[in-house]
Amino acid sequence: MQKSEAPVRARIEVESTQVLLALSGPQMQLLSEVARQSGAEVSLRGNTIHIAGEEASVRVAERFLNDAAELVGKGYAIGSDDVARSLRELRGDPSATLVELLDETITLSPRRRSVAPKTQAQRRYIETIRTRDLTFGIGPAGTGKTYLAMAMAVSAMLQKKVKRIILTRPAVEAGEKLGFLPGDLAEKVNPYLRPLYDALNDMLDFERIEQMRERGQIEVAPLAFMRGRTLNESFVILDEAQNATSEQMRMFLTRLGFSSKAVVTGDITQSDLPTGARSGLREARDLLSHIDGIGFCAFSDVDVVRHPLVQRIIVAYEKRDHELARQAQQRRDERLEREARAAVGRARMSPEPETDPGDELSSEEESNRAPFQREDRGSSSA
């Protein structure tokens, strides 16, 4: 009978009591979440965190807690929602560190907490926006595409890298007809642009937003209003780009002026365009992915930073979509096979007559002799 392997153990000593309290969380909730997500046993004795269990589980928990202690010492707040995402990233990439993952902060106003990426994809997204003039963020809802782009725009504005922020999105209804909306033009389009205002209000004080809007430093408008403009020294964000038509996308992308940045975000699986209309976002991805200076960042369900249920919902819908696509492809293959068999059957029922080259030559010779035969018959009758 083989003996079970002894559990691997690790210890992490934290000198600062404040860091230890922040790392533990209220009523040890944070350490309990680390234990649940990593599969290792995590306990606290004095100023020392003890970890025990299988080697892989212990090592990933140890990496997380060591890096988390460093980040908390810098003033970074780590919540329970960060634990599952971070451990998943660390487990998937042995060379990754939590410091690299979460320390890429976007500085906003002093009165607002800095915005930091939660996943590797979000980190690459921020780096792409910083280094490219045109960035596409494509992925499911809840992955932070619009929020992070908005944070980068606000940061650029406060650092005087751009003179204005322009936020736009197509005014397309999500599957239901709302009819004619009351009010003036601004009131009519406001419901479509509400998500952009929500993100903006989360980063700046309401009074400051109103002042910047009055000065023309912040502009929120539907996509149709971009035609004919040249956007210089601007940070432009096109949200919900999957609802832009091919013509609208082409129009928008050619508005970019000097010293400007543009970020295009959307989810190609949630288009509200009429049936048969091609999404401008999907077309742009196919046409522009090879052009230098344009960055494309893809997000997946692992990058969802909303309620944990959102990730499961996205996975369920994606699984359904893949199954429907598989069934549709299977039906197409079966139809093509039936048509091929039917064509073969028709060919067998009505075969073309075979011709012999010798016969063709005889027919040709016979046609050539025909006039002479008629002439001979005429002479004899005479």
mmCIF file of all heavy atoms in Angstrom, residues 123-137 149 152-153 156 161-162 234-237 256-264 288-298:
data_model
loop_
_atom_site.group_PDB
_atom_site.id
_atom_site.type_symbol
_atom_site.label_atom_id
_atom_site.label_comp_id
_atom_site.label_asym_id
_atom_site.label_seq_id
_atom_site.Cartn_x
_atom_site.Cartn_y
_atom_site.Cartn_z
ATOM 1 N N ARG A 123 -4.670 44.487 -19.239
ATOM 2 C CA ARG A 123 -3.347 45.122 -19.185
ATOM 3 C C ARG A 123 -2.796 45.353 -20.588
ATOM 4 O O ARG A 123 -2.253 46.418 -20.888
ATOM 5 C CB ARG A 123 -2.394 44.245 -18.363
ATOM 6 C CG ARG A 123 -1.036 44.854 -18.100
ATOM 7 C CD ARG A 123 -0.278 44.026 -17.069
ATOM 8 N NE ARG A 123 1.046 44.573 -16.850
ATOM 9 C CZ ARG A 123 2.134 44.212 -17.526
ATOM 10 N NH1 ARG A 123 2.030 43.289 -18.466
ATOM 11 N NH2 ARG A 123 3.304 44.757 -17.283
ATOM 12 N N ARG A 124 -2.930 44.351 -21.455
ATOM 13 C CA ARG A 124 -2.485 44.524 -22.847
ATOM 14 C C ARG A 124 -3.299 45.606 -23.553
ATOM 15 O O ARG A 124 -2.772 46.354 -24.388
ATOM 16 C CB ARG A 124 -2.610 43.192 -23.593
ATOM 17 C CG ARG A 124 -1.572 42.154 -23.185
ATOM 18 C CD ARG A 124 -1.562 40.981 -24.162
ATOM 19 N NE ARG A 124 -2.819 40.262 -24.153
ATOM 20 C CZ ARG A 124 -3.070 39.214 -23.375
ATOM 21 N NH1 ARG A 124 -2.144 38.767 -22.532
ATOM 22 N NH2 ARG A 124 -4.243 38.598 -23.430
ATOM 23 N N TYR A 125 -4.579 45.681 -23.214
ATOM 24 C CA TYR A 125 -5.467 46.686 -23.800
ATOM 25 C C TYR A 125 -4.982 48.097 -23.454
ATOM 26 O O TYR A 125 -4.869 48.966 -24.336
ATOM 27 C CB TYR A 125 -6.876 46.437 -23.252
ATOM 28 C CG TYR A 125 -7.979 47.327 -23.773
ATOM 29 C CD1 TYR A 125 -8.188 47.510 -25.131
ATOM 30 C CD2 TYR A 125 -8.849 47.951 -22.883
ATOM 31 C CE1 TYR A 125 -9.224 48.292 -25.593
ATOM 32 C CE2 TYR A 125 -9.892 48.730 -23.329
ATOM 33 C CZ TYR A 125 -10.077 48.904 -24.688
ATOM 34 O OH TYR A 125 -11.116 49.683 -25.136
ATOM 35 N N ILE A 126 -4.665 48.326 -22.189
ATOM 36 C CA ILE A 126 -4.177 49.638 -21.766
ATOM 37 C C ILE A 126 -2.858 49.967 -22.448
ATOM 38 O O ILE A 126 -2.643 51.092 -22.929
ATOM 39 C CB ILE A 126 -4.021 49.670 -20.227
ATOM 40 C CG1 ILE A 126 -5.401 49.644 -19.562
ATOM 41 C CG2 ILE A 126 -3.249 50.911 -19.779
ATOM 42 C CD1 ILE A 126 -5.349 49.561 -18.053
ATOM 43 N N GLU A 127 -1.962 49.003 -22.508
ATOM 44 C CA GLU A 127 -0.668 49.233 -23.151
ATOM 45 C C GLU A 127 -0.846 49.531 -24.638
ATOM 46 O O GLU A 127 -0.146 50.395 -25.200
ATOM 47 C CB GLU A 127 0.219 47.992 -22.975
ATOM 48 C CG GLU A 127 1.623 48.146 -23.537
ATOM 49 C CD GLU A 127 2.413 49.256 -22.875
ATOM 50 O OE1 GLU A 127 2.102 49.620 -21.719
ATOM 51 O OE2 GLU A 127 3.350 49.764 -23.514
ATOM 52 N N THR A 128 -1.787 48.867 -25.285
ATOM 53 C CA THR A 128 -2.041 49.121 -26.705
ATOM 54 C C THR A 128 -2.585 50.519 -26.913
ATOM 55 O O THR A 128 -2.179 51.226 -27.857
ATOM 56 C CB THR A 128 -3.030 48.078 -27.264
ATOM 57 O OG1 THR A 128 -2.503 46.763 -27.061
ATOM 58 C CG2 THR A 128 -3.256 48.285 -28.754
ATOM 59 N N ILE A 129 -3.498 50.966 -26.051
ATOM 60 C CA ILE A 129 -4.041 52.320 -26.174
ATOM 61 C C ILE A 129 -2.925 53.349 -25.996
ATOM 62 O O ILE A 129 -2.887 54.377 -26.694
ATOM 63 C CB ILE A 129 -5.164 52.543 -25.140
ATOM 64 C CG1 ILE A 129 -6.368 51.654 -25.461
ATOM 65 C CG2 ILE A 129 -5.594 54.007 -25.117
ATOM 66 C CD1 ILE A 129 -7.470 51.712 -24.427
ATOM 67 N N ARG A 130 -1.995 53.082 -25.092
ATOM 68 C CA ARG A 130 -0.906 54.029 -24.855
ATOM 69 C C ARG A 130 0.047 54.125 -26.039
ATOM 70 O O ARG A 130 0.610 55.187 -26.297
ATOM 71 C CB ARG A 130 -0.126 53.613 -23.604
ATOM 72 C CG ARG A 130 -0.829 53.994 -22.310
ATOM 73 C CD ARG A 130 -0.034 53.565 -21.114
ATOM 74 N NE ARG A 130 -0.659 54.067 -19.882
ATOM 75 C CZ ARG A 130 -0.523 53.518 -18.700
ATOM 76 N NH1 ARG A 130 0.239 52.448 -18.556
ATOM 77 N NH2 ARG A 130 -1.114 54.042 -17.633
ATOM 78 N N THR A 131 0.226 53.033 -26.763
ATOM 79 C CA THR A 131 1.260 52.988 -27.805
ATOM 80 C C THR A 131 0.699 53.082 -29.216
ATOM 81 O O THR A 131 1.473 53.270 -30.158
ATOM 82 C CB THR A 131 2.079 51.688 -27.680
ATOM 83 O OG1 THR A 131 1.202 50.553 -27.747
ATOM 84 C CG2 THR A 131 2.823 51.658 -26.348
ATOM 85 N N ARG A 132 -0.608 52.957 -29.409
ATOM 86 C CA ARG A 132 -1.208 53.015 -30.741
ATOM 87 C C ARG A 132 -2.196 54.184 -30.812
ATOM 88 O O ARG A 132 -2.820 54.549 -29.816
ATOM 89 C CB ARG A 132 -1.938 51.717 -31.081
ATOM 90 C CG ARG A 132 -1.093 50.456 -30.922
ATOM 91 C CD ARG A 132 -0.008 50.352 -31.976
ATOM 92 N NE ARG A 132 0.820 49.176 -31.782
ATOM 93 C CZ ARG A 132 0.580 48.002 -32.331
ATOM 94 N NH1 ARG A 132 -0.487 47.838 -33.104
ATOM 95 N NH2 ARG A 132 1.391 46.980 -32.120
ATOM 96 N N ASP A 133 -2.356 54.734 -32.001
ATOM 97 C CA ASP A 133 -3.315 55.820 -32.189
ATOM 98 C C ASP A 133 -4.732 55.318 -32.424
ATOM 99 O O ASP A 133 -5.689 56.064 -32.225
ATOM 100 C CB ASP A 133 -2.884 56.699 -33.369
ATOM 101 C CG ASP A 133 -1.650 57.536 -33.043
ATOM 102 O OD1 ASP A 133 -1.416 57.799 -31.853
ATOM 103 O OD2 ASP A 133 -0.917 57.902 -33.984
ATOM 104 N N LEU A 134 -4.860 54.073 -32.857
ATOM 105 C CA LEU A 134 -6.189 53.489 -33.076
ATOM 106 C C LEU A 134 -6.199 52.085 -32.475
ATOM 107 O O LEU A 134 -5.380 51.248 -32.847
ATOM 108 C CB LEU A 134 -6.524 53.439 -34.569
ATOM 109 C CG LEU A 134 -7.832 52.761 -34.963
ATOM 110 C CD1 LEU A 134 -9.022 53.427 -34.291
ATOM 111 C CD2 LEU A 134 -8.011 52.774 -36.495
ATOM 112 N N THR A 135 -7.115 51.858 -31.559
ATOM 113 C CA THR A 135 -7.201 50.571 -30.867
ATOM 114 C C THR A 135 -8.625 50.042 -30.950
ATOM 115 O O THR A 135 -9.590 50.781 -30.736
ATOM 116 C CB THR A 135 -6.798 50.718 -29.386
ATOM 117 O OG1 THR A 135 -5.457 51.204 -29.310
ATOM 118 C CG2 THR A 135 -6.891 49.384 -28.661
ATOM 119 N N PHE A 136 -8.746 48.754 -31.246
ATOM 120 C CA PHE A 136 -10.032 48.066 -31.242
ATOM 121 C C PHE A 136 -10.061 47.124 -30.039
ATOM 122 O O PHE A 136 -9.153 46.301 -29.867
ATOM 123 C CB PHE A 136 -10.224 47.255 -32.520
ATOM 124 C CG PHE A 136 -10.521 48.079 -33.738
ATOM 125 C CD1 PHE A 136 -9.496 48.708 -34.427
ATOM 126 C CD2 PHE A 136 -11.822 48.237 -34.199
ATOM 127 C CE1 PHE A 136 -9.749 49.470 -35.553
ATOM 128 C CE2 PHE A 136 -12.094 48.993 -35.324
ATOM 129 C CZ PHE A 136 -11.054 49.620 -35.998
ATOM 130 N N GLY A 137 -11.092 47.245 -29.217
ATOM 131 C CA GLY A 137 -11.318 46.316 -28.108
ATOM 132 C C GLY A 137 -12.572 45.514 -28.394
ATOM 133 O O GLY A 137 -13.679 46.070 -28.380
ATOM 134 N N ALA A 149 -11.171 52.401 -21.521
ATOM 135 C CA ALA A 149 -10.938 53.415 -22.550
ATOM 136 C C ALA A 149 -11.324 54.798 -22.026
ATOM 137 O O ALA A 149 -10.626 55.791 -22.275
ATOM 138 C CB ALA A 149 -11.739 53.076 -23.806
ATOM 139 N N MET A 152 -8.621 56.005 -19.673
ATOM 140 C CA MET A 152 -7.462 56.487 -20.426
ATOM 141 C C MET A 152 -7.739 57.866 -21.030
ATOM 142 O O MET A 152 -6.842 58.732 -21.074
ATOM 143 C CB MET A 152 -7.115 55.493 -21.527
ATOM 144 C CG MET A 152 -6.581 54.170 -21.022
ATOM 145 S SD MET A 152 -4.963 54.322 -20.251
ATOM 146 C CE MET A 152 -3.931 54.650 -21.671
ATOM 147 N N ALA A 153 -8.961 58.101 -21.484
ATOM 148 C CA ALA A 153 -9.317 59.399 -22.057
ATOM 149 C C ALA A 153 -9.286 60.495 -20.993
ATOM 150 O O ALA A 153 -8.736 61.584 -21.219
ATOM 151 C CB ALA A 153 -10.704 59.317 -22.698
ATOM 152 N N ALA A 156 -5.701 61.257 -20.056
ATOM 153 C CA ALA A 156 -5.028 62.050 -21.089
ATOM 154 C C ALA A 156 -5.480 63.505 -21.044
ATOM 155 O O ALA A 156 -4.676 64.431 -21.232
ATOM 156 C CB ALA A 156 -5.303 61.443 -22.464
ATOM 157 N N LYS A 161 -2.720 66.003 -22.536
ATOM 158 C CA LYS A 161 -2.229 65.350 -23.753
ATOM 159 C C LYS A 161 -3.203 65.541 -24.902
ATOM 160 O O LYS A 161 -2.806 65.460 -26.073
ATOM 161 C CB LYS A 161 -1.999 63.863 -23.494
ATOM 162 C CG LYS A 161 -0.884 63.568 -22.489
ATOM 163 C CD LYS A 161 -0.707 62.075 -22.303
ATOM 164 C CE LYS A 161 0.414 61.780 -21.325
ATOM 165 N NZ LYS A 161 0.582 60.308 -21.112
ATOM 166 N N VAL A 162 -4.473 65.756 -24.597
ATOM 167 C CA VAL A 162 -5.490 66.067 -25.594
ATOM 168 C C VAL A 162 -6.316 67.238 -25.090
ATOM 169 O O VAL A 162 -6.305 67.554 -23.890
ATOM 170 C CB VAL A 162 -6.413 64.851 -25.877
ATOM 171 C CG1 VAL A 162 -5.623 63.713 -26.496
ATOM 172 C CG2 VAL A 162 -7.116 64.392 -24.604
ATOM 173 N N SER A 234 -7.741 65.129 -30.015
ATOM 174 C CA SER A 234 -8.913 64.585 -29.335
ATOM 175 C C SER A 234 -8.673 63.133 -28.959
ATOM 176 O O SER A 234 -7.872 62.432 -29.575
ATOM 177 C CB SER A 234 -10.148 64.674 -30.239
ATOM 178 O OG SER A 234 -10.385 65.995 -30.660
ATOM 179 N N PHE A 235 -9.382 62.701 -27.928
ATOM 180 C CA PHE A 235 -9.448 61.288 -27.561
ATOM 181 C C PHE A 235 -10.873 60.847 -27.859
ATOM 182 O O PHE A 235 -11.812 61.277 -27.203
ATOM 183 C CB PHE A 235 -9.114 61.084 -26.079
ATOM 184 C CG PHE A 235 -8.725 59.658 -25.744
ATOM 185 C CD1 PHE A 235 -7.463 59.367 -25.271
ATOM 186 C CD2 PHE A 235 -9.624 58.612 -25.901
ATOM 187 C CE1 PHE A 235 -7.093 58.072 -24.958
ATOM 188 C CE2 PHE A 235 -9.274 57.315 -25.603
ATOM 189 C CZ PHE A 235 -7.996 57.039 -25.129
ATOM 190 N N VAL A 236 -11.036 60.008 -28.880
ATOM 191 C CA VAL A 236 -12.365 59.652 -29.369
ATOM 192 C C VAL A 236 -12.653 58.191 -29.039
ATOM 193 O O VAL A 236 -11.813 57.316 -29.274
ATOM 194 C CB VAL A 236 -12.455 59.857 -30.905
ATOM 195 C CG1 VAL A 236 -13.909 59.771 -31.356
ATOM 196 C CG2 VAL A 236 -11.841 61.176 -31.304
ATOM 197 N N ILE A 237 -13.830 57.938 -28.491
ATOM 198 C CA ILE A 237 -14.243 56.576 -28.151
ATOM 199 C C ILE A 237 -15.545 56.271 -28.878
ATOM 200 O O ILE A 237 -16.537 56.976 -28.719
ATOM 201 C CB ILE A 237 -14.434 56.399 -26.639
ATOM 202 C CG1 ILE A 237 -13.133 56.686 -25.886
ATOM 203 C CG2 ILE A 237 -14.931 54.986 -26.314
ATOM 204 C CD1 ILE A 237 -13.278 56.663 -24.370
ATOM 205 N N LEU A 256 -10.296 60.771 -37.858
ATOM 206 C CA LEU A 256 -9.169 60.949 -36.951
ATOM 207 C C LEU A 256 -8.183 61.982 -37.497
ATOM 208 O O LEU A 256 -7.712 61.874 -38.630
ATOM 209 C CB LEU A 256 -8.463 59.607 -36.743
ATOM 210 C CG LEU A 256 -7.507 59.504 -35.556
ATOM 211 C CD1 LEU A 256 -8.265 59.706 -34.256
ATOM 212 C CD2 LEU A 256 -6.813 58.150 -35.549
ATOM 213 N N GLY A 257 -7.881 62.991 -36.665
ATOM 214 C CA GLY A 257 -6.971 64.054 -37.074
ATOM 215 C C GLY A 257 -5.625 63.946 -36.392
ATOM 216 O O GLY A 257 -5.266 62.915 -35.814
ATOM 217 N N PHE A 258 -4.869 65.048 -36.422
ATOM 218 C CA PHE A 258 -3.530 65.065 -35.851
ATOM 219 C C PHE A 258 -3.581 65.054 -34.325
ATOM 220 O O PHE A 258 -4.487 65.623 -33.708
ATOM 221 C CB PHE A 258 -2.767 66.303 -36.332
ATOM 222 C CG PHE A 258 -2.500 66.300 -37.815
ATOM 223 C CD1 PHE A 258 -3.232 67.126 -38.665
ATOM 224 C CD2 PHE A 258 -1.534 65.477 -38.361
ATOM 225 C CE1 PHE A 258 -2.992 67.125 -40.028
ATOM 226 C CE2 PHE A 258 -1.284 65.467 -39.719
ATOM 227 C CZ PHE A 258 -2.019 66.288 -40.566
ATOM 228 N N SER A 259 -2.579 64.384 -33.719
ATOM 229 C CA SER A 259 -2.413 64.333 -32.264
ATOM 230 C C SER A 259 -3.663 63.786 -31.574
ATOM 231 O O SER A 259 -4.031 64.237 -30.484
ATOM 232 C CB SER A 259 -2.068 65.727 -31.709
ATOM 233 O OG SER A 259 -0.904 66.227 -32.319
ATOM 234 N N SER A 260 -4.319 62.829 -32.218
ATOM 235 C CA SER A 260 -5.541 62.254 -31.660
ATOM 236 C C SER A 260 -5.385 60.752 -31.467
ATOM 237 O O SER A 260 -4.538 60.105 -32.091
ATOM 238 C CB SER A 260 -6.733 62.521 -32.584
ATOM 239 O OG SER A 260 -7.050 63.896 -32.616
ATOM 240 N N LYS A 261 -6.207 60.215 -30.588
ATOM 241 C CA LYS A 261 -6.318 58.775 -30.377
ATOM 242 C C LYS A 261 -7.779 58.383 -30.524
ATOM 243 O O LYS A 261 -8.680 59.167 -30.194
ATOM 244 C CB LYS A 261 -5.820 58.375 -28.984
ATOM 245 C CG LYS A 261 -4.316 58.273 -28.845
ATOM 246 C CD LYS A 261 -3.946 57.750 -27.471
ATOM 247 C CE LYS A 261 -2.448 57.625 -27.307
ATOM 248 N NZ LYS A 261 -1.874 56.554 -28.149
ATOM 249 N N ALA A 262 -7.997 57.163 -30.991
ATOM 250 C CA ALA A 262 -9.360 56.642 -31.098
ATOM 251 C C ALA A 262 -9.386 55.220 -30.569
ATOM 252 O O ALA A 262 -8.458 54.438 -30.808
ATOM 253 C CB ALA A 262 -9.846 56.676 -32.544
ATOM 254 N N VAL A 263 -10.438 54.905 -29.838
ATOM 255 C CA VAL A 263 -10.660 53.555 -29.325
ATOM 256 C C VAL A 263 -12.045 53.112 -29.767
ATOM 257 O O VAL A 263 -13.032 53.838 -29.570
ATOM 258 C CB VAL A 263 -10.544 53.499 -27.795
ATOM 259 C CG1 VAL A 263 -10.787 52.073 -27.302
ATOM 260 C CG2 VAL A 263 -9.175 53.984 -27.335
ATOM 261 N N VAL A 264 -12.114 51.944 -30.387
ATOM 262 C CA VAL A 264 -13.375 51.384 -30.873
ATOM 263 C C VAL A 264 -13.665 50.125 -30.079
ATOM 264 O O VAL A 264 -12.839 49.214 -30.023
ATOM 265 C CB VAL A 264 -13.286 51.057 -32.379
ATOM 266 C CG1 VAL A 264 -14.601 50.465 -32.878
ATOM 267 C CG2 VAL A 264 -12.907 52.294 -33.179
ATOM 268 N N LEU A 288 -8.469 45.556 -41.421
ATOM 269 C CA LEU A 288 -7.420 46.431 -40.881
ATOM 270 C C LEU A 288 -6.450 45.749 -39.933
ATOM 271 O O LEU A 288 -5.527 46.397 -39.439
ATOM 272 C CB LEU A 288 -8.081 47.613 -40.142
ATOM 273 C CG LEU A 288 -9.140 48.398 -40.916
ATOM 274 C CD1 LEU A 288 -9.725 49.494 -40.041
ATOM 275 C CD2 LEU A 288 -8.560 48.973 -42.197
ATOM 276 N N SER A 289 -6.645 44.467 -39.662
ATOM 277 C CA SER A 289 -5.821 43.811 -38.646
ATOM 278 C C SER A 289 -4.341 43.749 -39.021
ATOM 279 O O SER A 289 -3.487 43.588 -38.148
ATOM 280 C CB SER A 289 -6.347 42.392 -38.391
ATOM 281 O OG SER A 289 -6.351 41.633 -39.596
ATOM 282 N N HIS A 290 -4.005 43.891 -40.309
ATOM 283 C CA HIS A 290 -2.604 43.782 -40.742
ATOM 284 C C HIS A 290 -1.908 45.136 -40.846
ATOM 285 O O HIS A 290 -0.726 45.192 -41.183
ATOM 286 C CB HIS A 290 -2.548 43.103 -42.114
ATOM 287 C CG HIS A 290 -3.176 43.923 -43.215
ATOM 288 N ND1 HIS A 290 -4.546 44.027 -43.357
ATOM 289 C CD2 HIS A 290 -2.635 44.689 -44.194
ATOM 290 C CE1 HIS A 290 -4.810 44.797 -44.388
ATOM 291 N NE2 HIS A 290 -3.670 45.221 -44.913
ATOM 292 N N ILE A 291 -2.608 46.235 -40.572
ATOM 293 C CA ILE A 291 -2.040 47.575 -40.756
ATOM 294 C C ILE A 291 -1.258 47.988 -39.514
ATOM 295 O O ILE A 291 -1.769 47.933 -38.389
ATOM 296 C CB ILE A 291 -3.152 48.597 -41.054
ATOM 297 C CG1 ILE A 291 -3.861 48.239 -42.370
ATOM 298 C CG2 ILE A 291 -2.589 50.007 -41.117
ATOM 299 C CD1 ILE A 291 -4.976 49.187 -42.752
ATOM 300 N N ASP A 292 -0.012 48.425 -39.718
ATOM 301 C CA ASP A 292 0.812 48.896 -38.605
ATOM 302 C C ASP A 292 0.202 50.167 -38.007
ATOM 303 O O ASP A 292 -0.321 51.022 -38.718
ATOM 304 C CB ASP A 292 2.233 49.202 -39.091
ATOM 305 C CG ASP A 292 2.984 47.950 -39.512
ATOM 306 O OD1 ASP A 292 2.617 46.867 -39.024
ATOM 307 O OD2 ASP A 292 3.923 48.062 -40.328
ATOM 308 N N GLY A 293 0.290 50.277 -36.685
ATOM 309 C CA GLY A 293 -0.249 51.440 -35.999
ATOM 310 C C GLY A 293 -1.658 51.239 -35.481
ATOM 311 O O GLY A 293 -2.166 52.069 -34.724
ATOM 312 N N ILE A 294 -2.306 50.156 -35.895
ATOM 313 C CA ILE A 294 -3.650 49.828 -35.408
ATOM 314 C C ILE A 294 -3.542 48.603 -34.516
ATOM 315 O O ILE A 294 -2.947 47.596 -34.906
ATOM 316 C CB ILE A 294 -4.625 49.561 -36.565
ATOM 317 C CG1 ILE A 294 -4.725 50.792 -37.462
ATOM 318 C CG2 ILE A 294 -6.008 49.176 -36.032
ATOM 319 C CD1 ILE A 294 -5.644 50.604 -38.662
ATOM 320 N N GLY A 295 -4.094 48.675 -33.319
ATOM 321 C CA GLY A 295 -4.039 47.562 -32.380
ATOM 322 C C GLY A 295 -5.393 46.907 -32.201
ATOM 323 O O GLY A 295 -6.422 47.594 -32.122
ATOM 324 N N PHE A 296 -5.399 45.584 -32.125
ATOM 325 C CA PHE A 296 -6.626 44.820 -31.876
ATOM 326 C C PHE A 296 -6.430 44.016 -30.595
ATOM 327 O O PHE A 296 -5.449 43.272 -30.462
ATOM 328 C CB PHE A 296 -6.932 43.885 -33.042
ATOM 329 C CG PHE A 296 -7.530 44.570 -34.226
ATOM 330 C CD1 PHE A 296 -6.713 45.214 -35.156
ATOM 331 C CD2 PHE A 296 -8.908 44.594 -34.426
ATOM 332 C CE1 PHE A 296 -7.249 45.856 -36.256
ATOM 333 C CE2 PHE A 296 -9.453 45.240 -35.522
ATOM 334 C CZ PHE A 296 -8.629 45.875 -36.436
ATOM 335 N N CYS A 297 -7.351 44.172 -29.658
ATOM 336 C CA CYS A 297 -7.299 43.449 -28.389
ATOM 337 C C CYS A 297 -8.574 42.632 -28.240
ATOM 338 O O CYS A 297 -9.683 43.177 -28.357
ATOM 339 C CB CYS A 297 -7.160 44.415 -27.214
ATOM 340 S SG CYS A 297 -5.638 45.387 -27.235
ATOM 341 N N ALA A 298 -8.411 41.339 -27.985
ATOM 342 C CA ALA A 298 -9.561 40.437 -27.851
ATOM 343 C C ALA A 298 -9.774 40.088 -26.386
ATOM 344 O O ALA A 298 -8.811 39.821 -25.650
ATOM 345 C CB ALA A 298 -9.329 39.172 -28.671
#
